[in-house]
Amino acid sequence: MAKSNPPWTLGQLAELLQGELHGPADLLINGVTSAGSADAESIAFAETDEYREKAEQVPLGALLVGPGMTASVPYIVVPAPRSAFFALLSWCDRPLQTGEGVHPTAQVAASATIEPGASVGPFAVVGEDSVVEAGSVIHAHGFVGDRCRIGAGSVIYPRAVLVQDVILGTRCIIHPGAVIGAEGFGFVWDGKRRIKIPQVGGVTLGDDVEIGANACVDRATAGQTRIANGVKIDNLCQIAHNCEIGEHTVIAGACGITGSVKIGARCVLGGGVGTNDHISICDDVILGGRSGVDRDITEPGAYFGTPARPIGEAMRAFVLIPKLPEIWSRLKKLEKKVGE
Amino acid sequence: MAKSNPPWTLGQLAELLQGELHGPADLLINGVTSAGSADAESIAFAETDEYREKAEQVPLGALLVGPGMTASVPYIVVPAPRSAFFALLSWCDRPLQTGEGVHPTAQVAASATIEPGASVGPFAVVGEDSVVEAGSVIHAHGFVGDRCRIGAGSVIYPRAVLVQDVILGTRCIIHPGAVIGAEGFGFVWDGKRRIKIPQVGGVTLGDDVEIGANACVDRATAGQTRIANGVKIDNLCQIAHNCEIGEHTVIAGACGITGSVKIGARCVLGGGVGTNDHISICDDVILGGRSGVDRDITEPGAYFGTPARPIGEAMRAFVLIPKLPEIWSRLKKLEKKVGE
Amino acid sequence: MAKSNPPWTLGQLAELLQGELHGPADLLINGVTSAGSADAESIAFAETDEYREKAEQVPLGALLVGPGMTASVPYIVVPAPRSAFFALLSWCDRPLQTGEGVHPTAQVAASATIEPGASVGPFAVVGEDSVVEAGSVIHAHGFVGDRCRIGAGSVIYPRAVLVQDVILGTRCIIHPGAVIGAEGFGFVWDGKRRIKIPQVGGVTLGDDVEIGANACVDRATAGQTRIANGVKIDNLCQIAHNCEIGEHTVIAGACGITGSVKIGARCVLGGGVGTNDHISICDDVILGGRSGVDRDITEPGAYFGTPARPIGEAMRAFVLIPKLPEIWSRLKKLEKKVGE
C-alpha cells in the first residue's frame, strides 16, 4: 500500500485497507488514536470485543475491526485490524524536520567527514576524526565527540551525546538526552582516597540499534562495550562499561545493567531489571519487570523476582510474600499446639 | 506581606513576620537555612523542641519558633513558624535570569509564533508551527520541536527537550534535561527481528504541571499521553507512551510508569515505584516508596510493597522478610518434633 | 614511568614496565583490551590462571601476567599485572579535545569571570557572577548558571547543567547530561492543589567529586545539598534536596537518595539502592545492590536487602524467598499432621 497522509474519508480508508465499509463513505478521519482514548475525528482498532467495548465508551470517529465483528460507531472490517492500524500509523508519521547539509551554526572539526546526504542541525558538534555517513541526521544540539562513526541512515535526536570513540552501525536511532561513551565507573582505593582507573575503551553499536531517551551506555575500561544488531534499549537504562548485549535483545525502561555483564541474543528484559556485576545471561531469556539477577542464567526461559528464578517457581514465591503474616501466625499457633 | 529581599535585620524580620523579637534588633540575617545546617548568618525554623535542639547544635544566626517556645540563639516567636519560613523562602528566591525577547543566537522556525512577553534564550530552538505563549521562558539550550505549544507563563529550563507534538498548559515547569515527546518503546517481532511500531501521537500536559530533571514522558503511539492539571513528577521518572496521570497526582523520583497505565487524581507515589503495563490505579491512592504494582488498584488508600498491597497488610509482611531464616528453622524444628 | 603513547612494540613494553619478555620483541601492540575481549593487536592482563584462560580463548596480541605464570600468546611477566595494566591504560587515555580560552560562540555573562587557562567550549553558557577557575574545562553545550563556581582543574562534560548556586571544589568531573542544582521536589497541599515550596538553597561539592552521566543533584530548599571531598556518584543517580554525602563515599548507578538523607564517609552503595526520607547512614557502611534502607544505620558494616539488614542475616533471608512455596506447603502438611 502506498503512503497516504491524513485526512482521509472513511471510504478512502476502506479502499486503501481493502476492507468492508460500514458507515458513511464521506466521513472525515483526521488521524489515528488508541481504543479508549476520546477523539471524535480519529480511527482506532479493536481485535476483540473487549477492546471494541473500551473504544465505544468514548467519542470516536471510526473503528477498524476483525472479521465477524460489528461496532456502534462507523467501522471497517479488515482481516487483520492490528496490521491495518500499523499501516495507518506509518502514514501518520511526521518525523522531526531537519535541514539539508550542515547548518551554518554547527561546529564540525576540520578532520571530521560529513558524507553527502547527511544532515547536521543547529548547534550540533562533530569532533575530530569523526565520520557522519550518508543519510544520517544529527538533530539540533547533537554532540558527536572525537573518533566517532555514525553509520548510514542513523538518527541522532536533539541533545543526544556520543562522548568519544563511539561507533554506530547503520540505521541506529539515538533518542534525546542519551549519553553514549561516558567514562565507566571504576576506581581503586589507595587507603586514603579513590584513584580513577582510566577508561580508555569505546562503545560499538551494531545495525538497527535504538537507545532510549536519557539512557546511558558507558565506554569500556579497555576494549569495547558492545551492543549487537537489532538491540532496543528503552529510556533511562544504564548499561555499564564492558557490557555485551546480544542481537535483537530488548531492554525496557530503567534497567540497570552493571559492569561486564553479558546478555545473550533475543532476550527480553522488563522494566527496572537489575543485575549483579560480571554475570552472564544466555540467549532467549525473558526477565519479568524489576527482577534482580544475582547469578548466571544458563538456560533459556522466563525468569522473575529478586533473586530471579524460573518464572513458575518465582510467581509461587511472589504471591506468598503478602501471606508471610499468615505463615508466621500459623507457625506460632502450631508451635503452641505441639508444645502442649 | 510584600516581598523583602535579604539581607534583613532581625528587627526588620520580626516586624515583617509580625512576630515577637527575642534578640538584638540590629543582628544581620543574610538568608535562610534548614534546622541542623550550620550557617551563622541565616535563620532557620523549628516547630517542635526536637527541631529546635537540632538547630541549636550548629552555628546559626537566628530561629523562628512557635508560641511558648524559646531558643539559645536569637529568635522570633510567630504563630506559624513553617508558614513564616515559606514566606522567607519566597523572598530569597532568585530565579535563573533570562533576557527579554528572542536571543539573537536562538533558532526559531519561520512558521513558529513567539508571543510578546515570551523569552527565548541563547541556542534555544523552536520548531515548525510551534507557539510560545506570553510570559513563557525558554532558557538557554531549550529545544521545542515541531507543532508544540508552550502555555502562558511556563518555564522550560536549560536543555529540556520537547521533541514534537507536545502541548503544555499554563504555568508548567519543565526542569533541565527532561525529555517530553520522545517515541514510545514499541516493536513487533517478525520472526527475525523487531519492527518498529510508528509512534505518531503526542503528549498533552495540563496547567501547573512540573516535570523533573532528566525525567522522560513519551508520546503516545496514537492519541495522547496525558498529564492532567497540577501533576508534579520528580527527577528521573519514566512515563511511558499512552499513560494518563490524573489531576494533582505527585510522582516522586525514579518511578517507572509503564505503557498505557492510568493513574487517578490526587495519588501520591513514593520514589522508585514501578508498575505493570496497562494497569489502572484509582483516585486517592498512596503508594509507598519502591512499591511494585502488579494489578489494578480499585480502592483509595495507602499501599506498599512488591506486590503492592494495603499498607497494614504489606508492612506486616515486609517486617517478616528478615525473619524468614527464623521461620525456616522453627518450621524444621517443629517438623522434627512432630515427626517424633 | 613516563607516559608512552601506543603503538608500542612488545619489547618496548617489557622495558617500560620492567618486565620479563616472552615473545617477539618487535610485535606491534596498538592498545589495551580486557581479558576475554577479542583484539589481536592489543594487550590484556591476567592475575590468575582463570583470567589467563579466559584471555586465551579469543584472539589476543599479548598478555601481562604475574610471577610464575605463562601463557599461550606472547606475554610479559611483571610483579603486579594489574598496576602495570593501569599504567598502560593511562598511557592510552585520549581526553575529549578542547580549545584554548573561550570559544567565540560561547555566551559568558558580563559579570562572570573566566580565569586564565580555563577553556569554555562551543555553545557553552556561563551565567551572572559565576567563576570558572584556572585549568577548568567547560565542554561544548555545558551550562553553568548564575552564581556558580567551578573549582580549578574541573571538567564539565558536554551538556552537563549546573542550574544555579552550585559550588564545585577543585578537580571535579561532571559527566554529560548531569543536572546539578535543579529545584528540589517540595510542595504543600492547600486542600485544592499543591503549592510549590520555593527552593532557594544551593549545592556544594568538595574536591575530586565525580557526578555521573544524566545523574541529578538537587539544590537545597534552604542551605546546601552537600557532597564532600572524593565522593563518586555514578550515572542516573538521584540525590534529592538537602542530602549530605560524606567523604570518599561511592554511589553506584541508578541509586535514589531521597530528601535530607545523610550518608557518612567511605560508604559504598551498590547500584539501585534506595532510601527512606530523612534517614542517616553512618560512616563505613556497605550497601548491597538494590537494597532499600528503611531506617537509620548506626553501625559500620555490610547491609543488604529490602528492608536492609546486616548482610549475613539478609542473605539468609534472601535465599529463602524462593523457598516460600516449600515453606508454605510444609507448614500446611504439618498442620494437617498435627490436626490429626
Side-chain angles (χ1 to χ4, degrees), chain A residues 20-258:
Chain A
E20 200 181 284
L21 175 67
H22 294 263
D26 61 350
L27 181 70
L28 210 65
I29 299 294
N30 272 322
V32 288
T33 192
S34 52
S37 188
D39 189 339
E41 296 183 334
S42 286
I43 188 164
F45 84 101
E47 288 178 317
T48 64
D49 281 324
E50 192 193 337
Y51 270 90
R52 179 187 47 77
E53 280 165 26
K54 196 175 161 188
E56 288 172 349
Q57 279 165 18
V58 293
L60 185 67
L63 201 55
L64 289 170
V65 297
M69 292 174 70
T70 63
S72 63
V73 293
Y75 64 101
I76 301 173
V77 181
V78 289
R82 182 179 293 263
S83 303
F85 188 71
F86 288 173
L88 294 191
L89 284 176
S90 68
W91 297 344
C92 291
D93 198 12
R94 296 186 288 180
L96 191 61
Q97 291 182 53
T98 170
E100 279 177 34
V102 177
H103 192 274
T105 62
Q107 295 284 330
V108 178
S111 59
T113 306
I114 311 294
E115 293 190 354
S119 163
V120 179
F123 313 124
V125 172
V126 180
E128 299 291 345
D129 301 314
S130 285
V131 177
V132 180
E133 293 186 2
S136 286
V137 176
I138 302 185
H139 279 285
H141 293 198
F143 181 91
V144 175
D146 304 337
R147 296 176 303 279
C148 293
R149 174 172 280 267
I150 311 296
S154 293
V155 177
I156 311 296
Y157 270 104
R159 238 197 57 207
V161 173
L162 278 55
V163 187
Q164 57 178 87
D165 301 293
V166 177
I167 306 299
L168 266 60
T170 57
R171 296 175 307 274
C172 288
I173 300 176
I174 311 300
H175 288 283
V179 175
I180 307 182
E183 292 177 339
F185 195 68
F187 305 91
V188 281
W189 178 249
D190 77 349
K192 285 190 174 173
R193 56 196 182 123
R194 289 176 210 283
I195 308 296
K196 192 177 179 70
I197 302 172
Q199 305 288 319
V200 308
V203 180
T204 303
L205 273 61
D207 300 331
D208 301 298
V209 171
E210 256 188 79
I211 306 289
N214 284 342
C216 298
V217 182
D218 281 352
R219 60 197 177 112
T221 306
Q224 299 291 315
T225 301
R226 289 181 197 281
I227 314 284
N229 294 336
V231 169
K232 314 293 183 187
I233 295 176
D234 198 1
N235 298 350
L236 291 165
C237 286
Q238 152 75 346
I239 312 291
H241 49 176
N242 292 88
C243 282
E244 300 187 15
I245 315 287
E247 288 197 344
H248 305 300
T249 280
V250 168
I251 300 181
C255 285
I257 311 301
T258 50

Side-chain angles (χ1 to χ4, degrees), chain C residues 193-327:
Chain C
R193 56 197 182 124
R194 289 177 209 284
I195 309 297
K196 191 176 181 70
I197 302 172
Q199 305 288 317
V200 308
V203 180
T204 303
L205 272 61
D207 300 331
D208 301 300
V209 171
E210 255 187 79
I211 307 288
N214 284 343
C216 298
V217 182
D218 281 351
R219 59 196 177 114
T221 306
Q224 299 291 314
T225 302
R226 289 182 198 281
I227 314 284
N229 294 335
V231 169
K232 314 293 184 187
I233 295 176
D234 198 0
N235 299 350
L236 290 166
C237 286
Q238 153 75 344
I239 312 292
H241 49 175
N242 292 87
C243 281
E244 300 187 15
I245 315 286
E247 289 198 344
H248 305 301
T249 280
V250 169
I251 300 181
C255 285
I257 311 302
T258 50
S260 300
V261 167
K262 286 190 187 183
I263 300 180
R266 297 170 306 277
C267 292
V268 177
L269 277 65
V273 167
T275 60
N276 236 335
D277 287 5
H278 290 273
I279 63 165
S280 277
I281 296 172
C282 68
D283 295 346
D284 300 301
V285 166
I286 294 169
L287 279 161
R290 295 165 76 84
S291 294
V293 188
D294 63 333
R295 59 182 76 173
D296 289 356
I297 295 182
T298 56
E299 293 289 325
Y303 295 78
F304 176 67
T306 303
R309 295 292 177 262
I311 195 157
E313 189 186 325
M315 286 307 297
R316 283 190 296 274
F318 183 70
V319 297
L320 284 171
I321 289 173
K323 272 191 190 295
L324 274 171
E326 187 186 333
I327 291 174

Side-chain angles (χ1 to χ4, degrees), chain C:
Chain C
M1 289 174 283
K3 179 160 178 163
S4 164
N5 295 331
W8 313 281
T9 64
L10 198 62
Q12 240 184 315
L13 277 183
E15 201 175 315
L16 285 161
L17 301 170
Q18 296 176 291
E20 201 182 280
L21 174 67
H22 295 262
D26 60 350
L27 181 71
L28 211 65
I29 300 293
N30 272 321
V32 289
T33 192
S34 51
S37 188
D39 188 338
E41 297 182 336
S42 288
I43 187 164
F45 84 101
E47 288 179 315
T48 63
D49 282 326
E50 193 192 337
Y51 270 90
R52 180 188 46 78
E53 280 166 26
K54 196 176 160 188
E56 289 171 351
Q57 278 166 18
V58 293
L60 184 68
L63 202 54
L64 289 170
V65 297
M69 292 173 69
T70 63
S72 64
V73 293
Y75 65 102
I76 301 173
V77 180
V78 289
R82 181 179 295 261
S83 304
F85 188 71
F86 287 174
L88 295 191
L89 284 177
S90 68
W91 298 344
C92 292
D93 198 13
R94 297 186 289 181
L96 191 61
Q97 290 182 53
T98 170
E100 281 178 31
V102 177
H103 192 274
T105 62
Q107 295 284 329
V108 177
S111 60
T113 307
I114 311 295
E115 294 191 355
S119 163
V120 178
F123 313 124
V125 171
V126 181
E128 298 292 346
D129 301 312
S130 284
V131 177
V132 181
E133 293 186 3
S136 286
V137 176
I138 302 185
H139 279 285
H141 293 199
F143 180 91
V144 175
D146 304 338
R147 296 175 303 280
C148 294
R149 175 172 280 266
I150 311 296
S154 294
V155 178
I156 311 296
Y157 271 104
R159 237 197 54 205
V161 172
L162 279 55
V163 186
Q164 58 178 87
D165 301 293
V166 177
I167 306 300
L168 266 60
T170 56
R171 296 176 306 274
C172 288
I173 300 175
I174 312 300
H175 288 283
V179 175
I180 306 182
E183 293 177 338
F185 194 67
F187 305 91
V188 282
W189 177 250
D190 76 350
K192 285 191 172 170
R193 56 197 182 124
R194 289 177 209 284
I195 309 297
K196 191 176 181 70
I197 302 172
Q199 305 288 317
V200 308
V203 180
T204 303
L205 272 61
D207 300 331
D208 301 300
V209 171
E210 255 187 79
I211 307 288
N214 284 343
C216 298
V217 182
D218 281 351
R219 59 196 177 114
T221 306
Q224 299 291 314
T225 302
R226 289 182 198 281
I227 314 284
N229 294 335
V231 169
K232 314 293 184 187
I233 295 176
D234 198 0
N235 299 350
L236 290 166
C237 286
Q238 153 75 344
I239 312 292
H241 49 175
N242 292 87
C243 281
E244 300 187 15
I245 315 286
E247 289 198 344
H248 305 301
T249 280
V250 169
I251 300 181
C255 285
I257 311 302
T258 50
S260 300
V261 167
K262 286 190 187 183
I263 300 180
R266 297 170 306 277
C267 292
V268 177
L269 277 65
V273 167
T275 60
N276 236 335
D277 287 5
H278 290 273
I279 63 165
S280 277
I281 296 172
C282 68
D283 295 346
D284 300 301
V285 166
I286 294 169
L287 279 161
R290 295 165 76 84
S291 294
V293 188
D294 63 333
R295 59 182 76 173
D296 289 356
I297 295 182
T298 56
E299 293 289 325
Y303 295 78
F304 176 67
T306 303
R309 295 292 177 262
I311 195 157
E313 189 186 325
M315 286 307 297
R316 283 190 296 274
F318 183 70
V319 297
L320 284 171
I321 289 173
K323 272 191 190 295
L324 274 171
E326 187 186 333
I327 291 174
W328 181 238
S329 79
R330 280 166 69 167
L331 177 65
K332 285 189 293 183
K333 211 171 173 181
L334 204 57
E335 286 178 328
K336 210 174 166 186
K337 202 166 173 183
V338 170
E340 287 162 8

